[in-house]
Amino acid sequence: MNGSIPSREQAQALLQRLMGFSKAERVQVNVNSSVTANTRFAANQLSTSGSVQDTSVAIQSWFGARHAVTTTNDLSDASLRHAVESSEALAKLAPEDPEDMPLLGPQTYTPVQAFFDSTTNLSPADRAQAAISALGVTRASSDLQAAGFIVTGGSAFALANSAGLFAYHRTTSANYTLTVRTSDGTGSGWAGADHPDWNQLDFKAVSERAIQKARASRNPVAIEPGRYTVILEPQAVGDLVQLLLFYADARSADEGRSPFVKESGGNKIGEKILDQRVSMISDPQNPQLLSQPFDGQGLPLNRREWIKDGVLQQLSYSRFWAKKQGKEPTGGPGSVIMPGGPASLDSMI
């Protein structure tokens, strides 16, 4: 897997080759390479295993404020040259973009170490052995059936432009999800984990959690309809947190198209919008995030506190909207985290 993900030098060479074909006034090129492998099991049996790899390039050409993009995953010289020429022809036909911004020049990024050989060097046998952590238990039991999915991958993203910018980041990911059901069909338990480093995944703990939940939920009883206090698992909380900051765009709020709009007009920055125990940050360097340190235009992404003690601290500003509003461009948060408290799950229950 590792060999099919371009190194920094290989990605830069490909980008320079692409820009060498350009006759546009400005040009930006992106390269996105990925390798994904998976192992699936169900009904206590391994079922499928496979992998997919791809490298695609996107070329955006400008003539004045007119611009257009073409993409291809054919990396031959003839295909790349044709893609560049197509983007130029389309750009000349495009209407002028009233929000066009100049390209970013060279930037400084804080490197993020998110690429682990332990993940990219895995074999199908390694993934199958991890699956046995669940299957070994459920096969030996007379009352359990397991189904799960193990996905590992590596990727690299790089961009360059005619203003001298070059950015490169590579990452790996390993994800394990497991569902265990009781044979009588009344109990079901789910558990999952993910990390860039395969060695950090505790497959045994995931299996034990799913099995415990399946057995504990067996033979459910009816309760009266009403309002009940519930505790969401980290996965559910994470899904909601991502949705919340997906809408944290300053322009949408300023134009009245966002949950962060005040009834009297303007946005809710500085207002208490959540419980005081809730804070949310984005930080590419955070060991729990390890995300890309720049956005799709090459703008550096740094640590930002979006919500502190329930108070909305800031919204995300694109370069265009920041210039229009006299603000600092932030880029969008690539990933976010909500710090937890000291209480254990059992104590909260």
Side-chain angles (χ1 to χ4, degrees), residues 59-311:
I59 305 101
Q60 185 165 197
S61 299
W62 277 264
F63 291 93
R66 305 174 188 273
H67 56 96
V69 181
T70 57
T71 62
T72 181
N73 62 356
D74 182 346
L75 304 186
S76 66
D77 271 358
S79 175
L80 295 178
R81 193 182 296 275
H82 177 70
V84 172
E85 291 172 351
S86 295
S87 73
E88 293 172 353
L90 291 170
K92 291 176 181 178
L93 297 173
E96 291 194 350
D97 180 359
E99 299 182 4
D100 183 48
M101 294 290 292
L103 295 176
L104 286 172
Q107 303 291 307
T108 300
Y109 309 113
T110 302
V112 175
Q113 173 49 40
F115 189 91
F116 295 87
D117 290 334
S118 63
T119 305
T120 59
N121 291 335
L122 290 170
S123 68
D126 294 324
R127 297 194 304 275
Q129 188 59 44
I132 295 299
S133 65
L135 295 177
V137 178
T138 57
R139 286 172 177 173
S141 171
S142 61
D143 65 336
L144 298 173
Q145 292 278 322
F149 198 34
I150 299 173
V151 185
T152 60
S155 64
F157 177 76
L159 67 89
N161 66 33
S162 51
L165 173 70
F166 173 71
Y168 173 87
H169 176 72
R170 64 176 186 168
T171 186
T172 52
S173 63
N175 178 269
Y176 176 43
T177 54
L178 173 68
T179 299
V180 176
R181 292 184 60 82
T182 57
S183 298
D184 62 10
T186 66
S188 179
W190 180 94
D194 62 82
H195 199 279
D197 183 358
W198 171 267
N199 290 334
Q200 298 300 314
L201 291 183
D202 189 338
F203 291 92
K204 184 173 182 292
V206 171
S207 301
E208 290 175 348
R209 178 64 175 149
I211 290 169
Q212 182 270 328
K213 288 163 66 177
R215 286 177 167 158
S217 63
R218 179 187 285 152
N219 299 319
V221 297
I223 60 174
E224 291 298 318
R227 297 178 65 88
Y228 295 89
T229 298
V230 300
I231 297 174
L232 299 180
E233 291 198 343
Q235 180 66 47
V237 174
D239 290 344
L240 293 173
V241 166
Q242 293 179 70
L243 284 174
L244 181 66
L245 286 189
F246 176 79
Y247 292 103
D249 172 62
R251 180 173 187 173
S252 297
D254 293 342
E255 293 181 342
R257 300 179 286 108
S258 163
F260 300 104
V261 177
K262 289 196 297 188
E263 291 185 9
S264 58
N267 59 54
K268 294 183 178 180
I269 292 177
E271 292 190 5
K272 186 174 183 294
I273 61 171
L274 294 170
D275 186 282
Q276 64 182 15
R277 291 167 292 184
V278 176
S279 296
M280 296 183 191
I281 63 171
S282 62
D283 182 4
Q285 298 287 332
N286 188 295
Q288 292 179 280
L289 298 177
L290 296 179
S291 55
Q292 185 170 291
F294 54 87
D295 69 5
Q297 294 183 322
L299 183 72
L301 299 177
N302 302 306
R303 185 186 190 281
R304 292 190 179 276
E305 199 165 39
W306 303 96
I307 298 171
K308 181 179 181 181
D309 302 331
V311 177

Side-chain angles (χ1 to χ4, degrees), residues 25-44:
E25 295 174 5
R26 292 179 285 156
V27 63
Q28 177 170 304
V29 289
N30 301 353
V31 174
N32 200 338
S33 299
S34 64
V35 179
T36 304
N38 68 81
T39 294
R40 190 189 304 268
F41 55 95
N44 284 348

